[in-house]
């Protein structure tokens, strides 16, 4: 999409969406993420989203809706320059159970799977994604205290999404747990981990 870019900083890598050129901080406080129309906000700062960008189960996504322009009146906090709605499959429109495993560069390992079905008035859908990657190593980078080390960009984590529908009663839940390499806002070694664990239920 034009005028949309996933950006970040050494403090929160790949944490922010710049939409229509608006980008003012480390956190994703100008573009609101929604899952099936429900706002997904991180409890502490309301806008740490790099776990969603890195780990959301891709096999669960039916489509992504991009709503440009100020939308806080309709969608609430963080929709200053737009909103992004992740629309998932459900038990009716998803195919059979899927399972995939991938290995790749930077000691990356990924597992994804889905489970879907429907019986009488009950429909269910679930998806999970696990990623473990050492990430790229940028060699010989100096921090703000003139220490020189290799800068790692690894990420490890698991994210699971589940949906249950019974006669119009719809329950959706998301679990996310991740560790991402970072060197803090002042860019200082040694590296540490940003740990995020959250649950969402609607």
């Amino acid at each position: 999409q034009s005028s949309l870019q996933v950006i970040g900083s050494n403090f929160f890598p790949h944490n922010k969406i710049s939409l229509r050129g608006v980008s003012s901080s480390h956190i994703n406080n100008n573009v609101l993420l929604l899952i099936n129309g429900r706002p997904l906000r991180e409890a502490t700062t309301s806008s740490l989203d790099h776990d969603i960008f890195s780990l959301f189960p891709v096999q669960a996504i039916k489509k992504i809706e991009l709503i440009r322009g100020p939308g806080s009146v309709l969608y609430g906090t963080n929709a200053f320059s737009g909103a992004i709605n992740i629309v998932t499959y459900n038990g009716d429109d998803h195919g059979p159970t899927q399972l995939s495993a991938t290995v790749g560069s930077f000691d990356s390992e990924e597992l994804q799977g889905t489970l879907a079905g429907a019986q009488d008035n009950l429909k269910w859908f679930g998806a999970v994604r696990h990623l473990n990657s050492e990430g790229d190593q940028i060699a010989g980078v100096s921090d703000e205290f003139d220490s020189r080390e290799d800068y790692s960009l690894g990420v490890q984590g698991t994210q699971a999404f589940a949906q249950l529908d019974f006669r119009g009663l719809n329950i959706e839940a998301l679990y996310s747990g991740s560790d991402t390499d970072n060197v803090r806002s002042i860019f200082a070694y040694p590296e540490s981990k940003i740990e995020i664990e959250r649950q969402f239920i609607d």
Side-chain angles (χ1 to χ4, degrees):
Q1 289 286 342
S2 61
S3 76
L4 184 149
Q5 185 179 14
V6 178
I7 59 176
S9 64
N10 51 287
F11 197 28
F12 297 126
H14 305 105
N15 181 63
K16 184 175 178 62
I17 290 181
S18 173
L19 183 60
R20 303 174 75 207
V22 177
S23 177
S24 58
S25 69
H26 290 281
I27 55 180
N28 193 37
N29 58 354
N30 293 321
V31 177
L32 177 64
L33 289 182
L34 305 103
I35 296 180
N36 295 323
R38 298 297 187 186
L40 181 66
R41 294 187 178 94
E42 183 269 328
T44 305
T45 67
S46 82
S47 48
L48 294 181
D49 292 324
H50 62 268
D51 60 328
I52 303 298
F53 300 144
S54 299
L55 296 169
F56 193 83
V58 176
Q59 293 177 344
I61 299 174
K62 182 177 182 179
K63 63 181 179 178
I64 296 177
E65 299 173 340
L66 174 61
I67 302 103
R68 298 176 185 272
S72 294
V73 170
L74 292 176
Y75 302 106
T77 307
N78 295 355
F80 176 77
S81 60
I84 294 176
N85 185 30
I86 301 171
V87 180
T88 67
Y89 288 103
N90 58 45
D92 273 344
D93 57 17
H94 193 272
T97 299
Q98 299 181 42
L99 182 64
S100 67
T102 308
V103 295
S105 303
F106 311 119
D107 294 325
S108 298
E109 304 164 347
E110 181 183 54
L111 291 172
Q112 284 199 78
T114 61
L115 178 66
Q119 184 174 0
D120 299 327
N121 294 312
L122 180 65
K123 297 179 287 186
W124 63 88
F125 173 76
V128 64
R129 183 181 183 195
H130 174 76
L131 175 65
N132 181 20
S133 177
E134 293 299 320
D136 198 0
Q137 297 279 328
I138 304 174
V141 178
S142 296
D143 67 10
E144 293 190 14
F145 300 101
D146 207 28
S147 299
R148 187 176 293 271
E149 293 186 24
D150 295 345
Y151 181 25
S152 298
L153 300 170
V155 60
Q156 298 84 35
T158 301
Q159 205 158 106
F161 174 79
Q163 183 184 70
L164 187 68
D165 187 284
F166 180 71
R167 294 185 175 178
L169 174 63
N170 183 266
I171 300 173
E172 296 180 352
L174 175 77
Y175 167 80
S176 179
S178 68
D179 295 336
T180 305
D181 289 336
N182 83 105
V183 283
R184 296 170 283 167
S185 59
I186 60 171
F187 201 92
Y189 295 116
E191 289 183 76
S192 60
K193 299 275 189 183
I194 299 175
E195 299 179 1
I196 293 181
E197 183 172 356
R198 59 173 157 177
Q199 299 84 34
F200 166 85
I201 189 165
D202 176 61

